[in-house]
Amino acid sequence: MRKIRKILVKLILLWVVFIVLSLAIPPLFHKSYDGKNQKTEALFESNQENNQENKHGSSLKSNLQNQERVLSIDNNMDALLWRLRLIEAAREKIIFTTFDLRDDQSGCEVMAALWNAAQRGVKIQILIDGINGQLRLNNSEYFRELAAHENVEAKFYNPITLIKPWMNNYRMHDKYLIADDFAYILGGRNTNDLFLGNYSDSCNEDRDILVYESVPGEGNSYKKLQEYFVQIWDLPCCVGFDKQWNGEKKLKDRYQEVQWNSPEVFKKTDWEKVTIETSGIDLWTNPVEPENKEPLLWKKMVNVMKKEKDLVIQTPYIISDKMIYQDLTEICASAEKVDLMINAVESGTNPFGCTDYLNQKENIRKTGVTVYEYLGEYAQHTKTILAGENISMVGSCNLDMRSIYLDTEMMLVIDSPKLNASIRDQISVLKEKSRQISPDGTVTDGEQYEPEEQSTQKKLFYGVLRILTVPFRQLL
């Protein structure tokens, strides 16, 4: 028996080592865009239509311009209410995709609203990242009741596998909600109390874009989003969720709570009035297969940034490799001003992003960007790039290796001076609560910046993590 136990222990250790190596090694071999992959080349070209007349290299200026209007959603409570409004307004179909859905207060409100939509005959398709779905929803009574409805079909993208552990690296980071053919919301918010509603003392601030189709179903970005969803929904790695459920019915009562607590959701919405016009919107995405990806989305954004003189990059954190540093250096060389806004280490909610920043501070500064370390009441989870006075890129893509090489990601590219100016005004307020670090190393505190001392425990934790994460930076 003792020998058998030793053998079992050795086998388990070997299996653990195999899993660790399977997760850590494949992402080291980052792909680069070279035009040799015909499938990726076709996707790249499809997103570059009509670029002869558009210096931004996008299909924003098209025959469909002015048909799509936008609303920037920058408040967590508003983010929940607008999602509920879209669901209530839908009459035929809803597509709901998210990275992280939980059965907390806001998550249950969204699920209850979806359930009620299904009750009135709306066909609903739900797509969730496989790892988050399995960890958080397999045993959720609310989600299982929703998924069991005859008008609901739910899938998990690339669920956890122990047979091919290297596959667990590839996540679906998309977040969007489509209601019929008249509107959708797309951005960086997950569907839980950290991002929606006012149910948590600890939350993340983010940005979503609501896109209204003034001509239903005819907008450029709407068509691309529909095509993108079908492409990813039909992948073999998207596994259907078990529809069997005989447990307690709870969603009807939760929906009645939504009606009672949020009566503004059920008032008629003048979609034209609450949105602003655009000259066009494009949707740019990463490849969708669960594998190492060519940095298609990042390279497209870089191409836009290289053509502008005044740039603002807003991201929760930055975790870069040589290619990203080189791209940032070239962008700064051609631009007059490149501002990079991230969370200060003292308030950042991602410890890996914080510790990598501590290790890479000098390399980031050498690219020529001016860094703003934001220290406010809540951490920023926003992914936005402002290029010049017209173009705003908003979506799910962080400035890190995981978003650029491993995960599915999406960004809306919006041509609207009014939206651009509005977001710039918001960022200007955040800058006042930030520490500015210039390329030459000069440090300047914003007028409302209030330094925060880290606890000894947190300093020790970050100190250890700075060492442990170095071999796994590509996974963070």
Side-chain angles (χ1 to χ4, degrees):
M1 289 297 296
R2 191 174 296 176
K3 289 184 178 180
I4 293 175
R5 283 197 296 269
K6 287 184 178 180
I7 292 173
L8 288 175
V9 170
K10 288 181 180 179
L11 288 175
I12 293 172
L13 289 174
L14 285 173
W15 182 249
V16 171
V17 171
F18 172 67
I19 290 177
V20 171
L21 293 177
S22 296
L23 290 171
I25 293 178
L28 287 172
F29 302 97
H30 292 155
K31 292 183 178 180
S32 59
Y33 177 77
D34 57 13
K36 294 181 180 180
N37 185 321
Q38 293 183 356
K39 188 172 183 179
T40 305
E41 175 74 14
L43 181 60
F44 186 88
E45 291 300 329
S46 72
N47 282 333
Q48 294 281 331
E49 296 169 357
N50 302 325
N51 63 355
Q52 296 300 317
E53 297 181 1
N54 183 1
K55 69 175 182 176
H56 302 294
S58 72
S59 56
L60 302 185
K61 305 291 188 181
S62 69
N63 294 329
L64 299 173
Q65 62 179 307
N66 299 323
Q67 291 187 349
E68 296 187 301
R69 300 172 62 86
V70 297
L71 169 69
S72 181
I73 306 173
D74 303 291
N75 174 275
N76 284 4
M77 193 66 222
D78 288 342
L80 175 60
L81 294 177
W82 280 111
R83 281 163 170 78
L84 296 176
R85 286 189 182 102
L86 279 193
I87 295 170
E88 285 301 313
R91 292 294 176 264
E92 296 180 0
K93 66 177 181 178
I94 292 173
I95 293 172
F96 171 57
T97 298
T98 188
F99 176 70
D100 187 4
L101 169 64
R102 305 182 190 181
D103 62 358
D104 53 14
Q105 186 71 19
S106 62
C108 284
E109 290 188 12
V110 171
M111 285 190 277
L114 290 170
W115 173 86
N116 185 71
Q119 282 288 96
R120 63 176 185 265
V122 178
K123 301 297 183 181
I124 298 173
Q125 292 173 286
I126 300 173
L127 186 58
I128 311 290
D129 170 70
I131 292 180
N132 279 326
Q134 286 181 306
L135 293 178
R136 302 189 187 279
L137 300 175
N138 270 348
N139 297 317
S140 167
E141 294 181 351
Y142 294 97
F143 184 76
R144 294 184 70 85
E145 180 185 351
L146 174 62
H149 198 286
E150 62 181 356
N151 288 328
V152 176
E153 186 176 4
K155 288 185 178 183
F156 287 169
Y157 175 92
N158 194 30
I160 298 171
T161 172
L162 296 179
I163 298 176
K164 300 178 180 179
W166 57 88
M167 294 292 291
N168 297 319
N169 272 318
Y170 310 112
R171 314 289 297 276
M172 189 197 72
H173 201 230
D174 307 337
K175 302 104 181 250
Y176 56 92
L177 172 68
I178 308 175
D180 292 338
D181 57 0
F182 77 90
Y184 68 86
I185 292 174
L186 186 153
R189 283 186 175 91
N190 296 306
T191 309
N192 57 62
D193 290 349
L194 290 174
F195 301 92
L196 300 178
N198 57 2
Y199 303 116
S200 175
D201 293 333
S202 175
C203 64
N204 287 256
E205 295 180 329
D206 212 316
R207 176 171 293 116
D208 295 316
I209 298 294
L210 185 151
V211 179
Y212 167 61
E213 304 295 313
S214 58
V215 180
E218 292 299 318
N220 177 50
S221 71
Y222 172 83
K223 287 183 176 180
K224 286 191 174 183
L225 183 57
Q226 288 280 352
E227 293 171 0
Y228 175 84
F229 171 75
V230 172
Q231 181 187 14
I232 198 168
W233 179 265
D234 290 338
L235 289 174
C237 70
C238 291
V239 179
F241 189 77
D242 184 8
K243 293 185 71 68
Q244 295 183 1
W245 175 244
N246 298 314
E248 183 181 355
K249 307 298 184 182
K250 297 182 177 181
L251 288 175
K252 181 178 180 179
D253 290 340
R254 292 305 296 261
Y255 181 72
Q256 290 175 347
E257 291 179 16
V258 173
Q259 291 177 303
W260 178 262
N261 294 328
S262 305
E264 62 268 48
V265 167
F266 304 92
K267 296 178 181 178
K268 186 176 181 180
T269 301
D270 187 336
W271 300 97
E272 190 90 12
K273 185 176 181 180
V274 300
T275 54
I276 61 175
E277 68 177 0
T278 71
S279 296
I281 308 176
D282 206 355
L283 174 69
W284 293 350
T285 62
N286 259 353
V288 297
E289 290 79 6
E291 61 187 20
N292 284 1
K293 297 173 175 60
E294 295 182 13
L296 178 62
L297 175 57
W298 169 248
K299 284 299 185 180
K300 288 169 62 59
M301 293 191 292
V302 169
N303 288 342
V304 172
M305 288 189 279
K306 285 182 177 179
K307 296 178 174 68
E308 295 292 348
K309 299 299 183 183
D310 186 354
L311 299 162
V312 179
I313 303 172
Q314 189 178 7
T315 182
Y317 45 82
I318 174 171
I319 305 176
S320 299
D321 66 349
K322 290 182 179 179
M323 182 202 74
I324 301 171
Y325 282 134
Q326 179 63 35
D327 286 336
L328 287 175
T329 301
E330 293 177 1
I331 289 168
C332 291
S334 60
E336 297 174 357
K337 180 184 179 184
V338 182
D339 293 341
L340 172 66
M341 172 157 285
I342 62 173
N343 288 305
V345 171
E346 294 87 343
S347 65
T349 56
N350 185 320
F352 305 115
C354 291
T355 52
D356 194 78
Y357 175 68
L358 292 173
N359 287 339
Q360 297 287 320
K361 229 176 192 181
E362 187 68 14
N363 290 330
I364 295 170
R365 185 178 63 78
K366 286 180 179 178
T367 64
V369 300
T370 297
V371 179
Y372 288 84
E373 300 176 355
Y374 173 74
L375 185 56
E377 183 178 2
Y378 301 117
Q380 296 289 307
H381 192 256
T382 311
K383 311 96 166 54
T384 296
I385 298 175
L386 303 178
E389 297 179 351
N390 293 344
I391 301 300
S392 305
M393 293 179 265
V394 181
S396 67
C397 187
N398 294 305
L399 187 47
D400 66 357
M401 288 181 276
R402 170 159 286 283
S403 283
I404 291 174
Y405 297 109
L406 302 182
D407 295 347
T408 68
E409 300 288 356
M410 51 195 352
M411 297 290 281
L412 286 178
V413 187
I414 306 164
D415 188 345
S416 170
K418 191 171 182 179
L419 175 66
N420 186 292
S422 174
I423 295 176
R424 282 185 182 273
D425 288 343
Q426 294 178 43
I427 292 177
S428 293
V429 174
L430 299 181
K431 286 181 177 180
E432 293 300 317
K433 299 180 180 180
S434 303
R435 173 183 287 135
Q436 175 187 326
I437 304 176
S438 301
D440 62 3
T442 303
V443 177
T444 307
D445 290 348
E447 291 185 5
Q448 299 181 45
Y449 179 81
E450 297 181 3
E452 181 179 305
E453 184 66 26
Q454 290 187 57
S455 67
T456 302
Q457 183 180 4
K458 192 171 185 178
K459 288 180 179 178
L460 289 173
F461 174 67
Y462 277 180
V464 173
L465 209 58
R466 289 180 67 174
I467 300 171
L468 295 180
T469 57
V470 171
F472 306 102
R473 294 184 65 242
Q474 72 278 9
L475 302 176
L476 302 179

